[in-house]
Amino acid sequence: MFLQYTSADGKRHELLLSGRASLTFGRSPEADVNIPETRISRIHAEIRPWDQDFVIKDMHSRNGITLNGARTEVAVLKPGDVIRIGTHEFTVEQEAMKGTRTIVREVAQELEEGKGYRTILREIVQSTDVKKKNPEVRSQKSE
C-alpha cells in the first residue's frame, strides 16, 4: 500500500508502507513525515504494520487525527481511506500512481526495445481518441 499527499511546498509525495517498521507524522524534525504546524504534536501519529494490514494510531496528540472525516484513536487502513492530520490530507492507495517519471521511463524502455517514436505517438493519440469517442473505455480501465 502507498500513502499519497501534497507537502506544504506543493510537491506531491508517495510513500510505500510495505517494508517499514513504522511511519511517524509530526512537527519534530525526527518525524518521518514532517508537518510544520503549531497544532501538530512533535510525534502526532504513527502507521505500523499489523499482520497483513497497516494500522494508524494517534500518539496521544492534543488535536487528534481523523479517518474519513471521523476522529479516531486507532484504525486499520484500507485503500481509499483519507487521513487528516492538522490541515494535511493523506490518501491510502493500493497501487502507486503513474507519474511523469514512470511514463517517461516506460516510453524510454519502448524506444530501447526498438519501437519507433512515431509508433509510440500514434498509440498515444489513438488511445486518447478512443477515450474521447467512447467514455466507457475510460471508466472500465480505471476500475
Side-chain angles (χ1 to χ4, degrees), residues 4-135:
Q4 297 173 353
Y5 70 99
T6 303
S7 58
D9 61 2
K11 291 184 182 176
R12 294 195 68 183
H13 298 273
E14 192 169 85
L15 298 169
L16 177 64
L17 296 178
S18 301
R20 293 179 177 267
S22 70
L23 181 68
T24 57
F25 302 81
R27 166 178 101 237
S28 169
E30 287 82 33
D32 297 315
V33 178
N34 182 263
I35 305 172
E37 291 181 24
T38 56
R39 297 183 59 216
I40 301 297
S41 299
R42 283 175 282 164
I43 300 297
H44 196 94
E46 178 179 53
I47 295 176
R48 285 187 166 268
W50 184 268
D51 290 331
Q52 300 299 315
D53 296 316
F54 291 94
V55 175
I56 188 162
K57 181 176 192 250
D58 183 347
M59 301 300 288
H60 308 291
S61 67
R62 181 174 292 187
N63 295 305
I65 60 174
T66 62
L67 181 66
N68 301 322
R71 190 160 174 161
T72 188
E73 295 292 321
V74 177
V76 174
L77 298 174
K78 55 189 177 314
D81 282 346
V82 177
I83 303 161
R84 189 172 200 60
I85 301 173
T87 60
H88 285 71
E89 281 191 355
F90 303 85
T91 305
V92 179
E93 297 292 342
Q94 185 65 39
E95 296 180 13
M97 288 184 358
K98 276 192 179 181
T100 306
R101 289 183 191 162
T102 304
I103 293 168
V104 169
R105 192 176 327 117
E106 287 176 359
V107 169
Q109 183 178 357
E110 287 180 348
L111 287 169
E112 286 177 15
E113 292 171 356
K115 191 178 267 190
Y117 181 71
R118 289 181 183 192
T119 303
I120 293 170
L121 284 176
R122 189 175 328 112
E123 289 173 356
I124 292 169
V125 169
Q126 286 173 348
S127 69
T128 305
D129 288 344
V130 168
K131 289 178 185 175
K132 285 180 184 175
K133 291 177 185 175
N134 191 359

